[in-house]
Amino acid sequence: MAQLWGGRFTKETDQLVYNFNASLGFDQKLYKQDITGSMAHASMLAKQGILTDEEKEEILDGLKGILKDIEEGKLLFSPEYEDIHSFVEANLIDRKGDVGKKLHTGRSRNDQVALDMKMYVRDEIKEMDLLLKELLESLLKIMEENLHTYMPGFTHLQKAQPVTLAHHFGAYFEMFKRDRSRLADTGKRLNLCPLGSGALAGTTYPLDREYTAKALGFDGPTLNSMDSVSDRDYLIEVLSDMSLIMMHLSRFCEEIILWNSNEYQFVEIDDGYSTGSSIMPQKKNPDIAELVRGKTGRVYGALMSMLTTMKGIPLAYNKDMQEDKEFTFDAIDTVKGCIALFNGMVSTMEFKKENMERSAKNGFTNATDAADYLVNHGVPFRDAHGIVGQLVLHCIEKNISLDEMSLEEYKAISPVFEEDIYEAISMKNCVEKRNTIGAPGTEAMKQVIELHKKYLKENS
Ligand code: ARG
């Protein structure tokens, strides 16, 4: 045990207590942020005349050495240090002697950890954003290639109206686009610097908080020191953003699992993204999609855990908050892994276009268009709905589709039908005539794809 706070104690900490309290095992992930924050703090202390320039240089040199040694694997995180902050400081003192003891002037681990976590999350938001952008690029490519790939659109998981694969993927494009904008909002809101808030009540040293905020890439300093050291809202926000990302991925995976099943056969997941069964030789399982769907629960769990941890904490810092790390780190790593793997799976997947189109034809997905045909010939919509209902019943009895009925059969149900009904309910017409913005028609889709391209260019 190499503690920072032995002075007022008359007894050694019990080993179990020490282990229970320690966080180095997981907060070592913050080493870079901790060292960067310490460097800015030391520079500011010198600028304010609290440290001499020589002292600052010594401290910066020591910190740089620690960073380098960690990155080169020469300095290991040994468990006798309580947390990353003690580890870095103790190492600095080892290397530089008494001057190292001056680094913590005007600072507390409370503002230090608040800073480290914010910087960590800020970097991770950028990484997640990049992964989402890459996923959007893959989706857009598939969309462009499948403007005329017809498939059934579903409601209640019942075939409803025909759409295209481009349109179906376009729905997910919107979701992941919103996810990016939510992450950006969170990143913007969190970007105020807590360093200089001290333990909870600021400090009597003349710190320049504007300076450190700017040096560390923040928009400015936080404005209440008690809030600064106990605010974990941004973690709850990012966990919530990530829960939505996972919810979207999970819905998409659920569809891919269905589409990849023997019953649908709309897609075939590439061998590289499938697994086999140890007993059933015929099997090729969509494990990656299932795992992404499964890991969604893990990320929701982190969000629930964080909300629950924070709900009863009085101002200001309390040790409960140390529980923010493991779940958040795990959730971030999980989400990044899931986006990357999902992207790989979806970009290598084979689309069985004929099966999709056949399925769209078989489920009376053009029934609405048959009703619209009647409306265009002066039949009120409610009556048209009834007439087409009779057509569908007739087809079910004869086990045929609407396209396969003879004109005589049509006319027997309503004399309004003429030869042009076949054209009106053809798959091509049903889909490609739907050209209000946001609809699956080719013209509408082309417009939207142009907007997406512009968006990706402007938000890279
Ligand atoms: N390991 C602590 C955390 O993660 C750092 C802050 C410790 N502060 C304290 N007053 N004990 O929250």
Side-chain angles (χ1 to χ4, degrees), residues 23 27 83 85 109-110 113 232 317 319 321-322 325:
S23 54
D27 66 17
D83 54 26
H85 326 296
R109 279 186 294 165
N110 297 352
V113 76
R232 298 293 182 271
Y317 177 83
K319 194 67 176 233
M321 288 174 185
Q322 180 167 288
K325 291 180 194 60

Side-chain angles (χ1 to χ4, degrees), residues 285-411:
N285 296 328
D287 283 30
I288 299 306
E290 290 170 17
L291 266 176
V292 172
R293 189 177 60 182
K295 284 179 192 290
T296 305
R298 188 161 162 166
V299 177
Y300 289 2
L303 170 63
M304 265 309 127
S305 165
M306 197 62 216
L307 281 166
T308 311
T309 298
M310 292 307 295
K311 85 183 213 352
I313 300 187
L315 286 174
Y317 177 83
N318 292 258
K319 194 67 176 233
D320 319 38
M321 288 174 185
Q322 180 167 288
E323 286 298 307
D324 62 0
K325 291 180 194 60
E326 284 162 289
F327 283 116
T328 306
F329 294 155
D330 180 75
I332 290 174
D333 292 345
T334 301
V335 170
K336 287 198 304 187
C338 287
I339 304 172
L341 274 160
F342 182 87
N343 191 359
M345 178 181 70
V346 95
S347 348
T348 51
M349 205 158 72
E350 186 198 331
F351 297 102
K352 304 202 161 181
K353 301 184 185 186
E354 282 121 60
N355 292 353
M356 289 182 176
E357 182 162 350
R358 193 174 324 116
S359 170
K361 277 187 176 155
N362 287 345
F364 302 108
T365 57
N366 48 3
T368 316
D369 297 270
D372 289 344
Y373 172 91
L374 292 171
V375 170
N376 287 333
H377 289 76
V379 181
F381 181 77
R382 199 42 62 206
D383 294 340
H385 187 283
I387 293 167
V388 178
Q390 289 178 49
L391 294 179
V392 169
L393 198 59
H394 177 79
C395 287
I396 291 174
E397 277 162 8
K398 293 192 66 185
N399 196 20
I400 55 172
S401 66
L402 287 173
D403 322 55
E404 290 165 331
M405 274 177 68
S406 68
L407 190 57
E408 289 70 53
E409 288 172 292
Y410 270 107
K411 283 196 172 290

Side-chain angles (χ1 to χ4, degrees), residues 1-9 13 18 34 80-93 100-101 104 107-110 112:
M1 293 178 224
Q3 286 161 334
L4 296 175
W5 41 261
R8 66 115 45 227
F9 288 76
T13 317
Y18 180 81
D34 201 73
E80 76 254 31
Y81 300 100
E82 182 185 331
D83 54 26
I84 187 62
H85 326 296
S86 332
F87 176 85
V88 172
E89 194 179 327
N91 262 283
L92 182 68
I93 296 168
K101 295 182 182 165
H104 212 51
R107 190 176 70 166
S108 156
R109 279 186 294 165
N110 297 352
Q112 203 178 341

Side-chain angles (χ1 to χ4, degrees), residues 14-69:
D14 178 273
Q15 189 62 47
L16 286 178
V17 172
Y18 180 81
N19 296 347
F20 191 66
N21 194 45
S23 54
L24 184 63
F26 46 89
D27 66 17
Q28 53 181 258
K29 248 185 188 314
L30 299 172
Y31 74 88
K32 204 184 277 165
Q33 290 76 13
D34 201 73
I35 293 171
T36 312
S38 291
M39 286 175 157
H41 183 65
S43 301
M44 180 276 295
L45 290 177
K47 185 183 87 69
Q48 298 302 94
I50 304 165
L51 291 180
T52 65
D53 278 343
E54 297 76 65
E55 287 170 333
K56 174 190 82 173
E57 291 307 330
E58 278 294 284
I59 290 177
L60 292 185
D61 183 64
L63 290 170
K64 272 185 212 149
I66 295 172
L67 181 62
K68 189 162 172 281
D69 288 352

Side-chain angles (χ1 to χ4, degrees), residues 45-187:
L45 290 177
K47 185 183 87 69
Q48 298 302 94
I50 304 165
L51 291 180
T52 65
D53 278 343
E54 297 76 65
E55 287 170 333
K56 174 190 82 173
E57 291 307 330
E58 278 294 284
I59 290 177
L60 292 185
D61 183 64
L63 290 170
K64 272 185 212 149
I66 295 172
L67 181 62
K68 189 162 172 281
D69 288 352
I70 294 176
E71 296 198 319
E72 289 175 1
K74 289 187 196 145
L75 178 58
L76 302 177
F77 298 107
S78 49
E80 76 254 31
Y81 300 100
E82 182 185 331
D83 54 26
I84 187 62
H85 326 296
S86 332
F87 176 85
V88 172
E89 194 179 327
N91 262 283
L92 182 68
I93 296 168
D94 277 353
R95 288 167 192 233
K96 296 290 177 183
D98 279 352
V99 66
K101 295 182 182 165
K102 295 194 173 182
L103 170 64
H104 212 51
T105 312
R107 190 176 70 166
S108 156
R109 279 186 294 165
N110 297 352
D111 58 345
Q112 203 178 341
V113 76
L115 171 71
D116 292 1
M117 250 339 238
K118 272 194 167 181
M119 291 205 293
Y120 184 86
V121 168
R122 199 173 60 176
D123 290 347
E124 293 295 321
I125 284 179
K126 285 191 194 124
E127 286 199 25
M128 285 190 278
D129 182 67
L130 185 62
L131 287 165
L132 283 173
K133 193 196 149 223
E134 286 165 3
L135 174 58
L136 287 176
E137 280 164 355
S138 303
L139 295 183
L140 193 59
K141 183 166 173 283
I142 296 170
M143 287 167 70
E144 285 191 275
E145 290 164 1
N146 288 285
L147 283 172
H148 306 288
T149 305
Y150 305 128
M151 64 177 284
F154 297 85
T155 62
H156 315 269
L157 206 54
Q158 309 273 329
K159 291 179 194 174
Q161 288 174 340
V163 293
T164 63
L165 185 61
H167 192 244
H168 198 112
F169 270 44
Y172 287 102
F173 192 102
E174 297 299 323
M175 294 181 224
F176 296 121
K177 194 168 112 188
R178 287 197 295 273
D179 288 331
R180 286 185 83 197
S181 106
R182 261 186 288 270
L183 283 175
D185 286 348
T186 302

